């Protein structure tokens, strides 16, 4: 399974780009991009979108990867993760239904 950092690093290397060039094009500090690629820091949603557009990657897939890593990091030492995720999904559906009912 590829991490978000792996995906970003592979995309850069496939285009044969150096960090400095990517940083200049997407207006994100070079050291931050390096940390994203090493999974030492997580990009913001805005940064994810900029990187997806620049590399020609699926915005949707990167966002899914980004959210799933945030959730996995939060729950990795928790008991009953499957149950937590099931209840969370039910709550999301409930909240959406409430919003649609307004």
């Amino acid at each position: 399974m590829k991490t978000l950092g792996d995906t970003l690093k592979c995309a850069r290397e496939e285009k044969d780009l150096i960090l400095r060039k990517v940083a200049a094009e997407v207006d994100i500090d070079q050291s931050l991009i390096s940390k994203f690629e090493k999974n030492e820091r997580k990009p913001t949603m805005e940064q994810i979108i900029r990187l997806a557009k620049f590399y020609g990657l699926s915005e949707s897939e990167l966002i899914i990867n980004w959210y799933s890593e945030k959730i996995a990091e939060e729950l990795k030492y928790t008991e009953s993760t499957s149950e937590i995720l099931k209840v969370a999904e039910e709550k999301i559906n409930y909240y959406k239904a409430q919003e649609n009912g307004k």
Side-chain angles (χ1 to χ4, degrees), residues 18-97:
I18 59 174
L19 283 170
R20 184 173 56 239
K21 172 72 173 165
V22 176
E25 292 292 327
V26 296
D27 193 31
I28 300 171
D29 188 79
Q30 177 180 331
S31 65
L32 266 179
I33 295 171
S34 175
K35 288 179 181 180
F36 298 159
E37 291 182 0
K38 294 176 187 173
N39 297 300
E40 294 173 358
R41 291 264 320 254
K42 295 289 181 214
T44 65
M45 182 65 71
E46 179 186 328
Q47 291 166 331
I48 284 291
I49 293 167
R50 278 193 261 161
L51 289 164
K53 287 179 182 173
F54 178 74
Y55 289 133
L57 298 172
S58 165
E59 223 175 274
S60 176
E61 286 181 29
L62 280 188
I63 290 170
I64 289 168
N65 196 336
W66 183 76
Y67 271 118
S68 67
E69 285 189 11
K70 286 180 74 138
I71 293 166
E73 184 66 31
E74 187 69 30
L75 297 178
K76 69 182 174 185
Y77 299 117
T78 305
E79 297 285 325
S80 307
T81 54
S82 295
E83 185 65 22
I84 291 167
L85 293 171
K86 180 181 170 197
V87 172
E89 184 176 20
E90 290 170 1
K91 286 183 179 184
I92 289 167
N93 291 334
Y94 172 78
Y95 295 150
K96 285 180 179 180

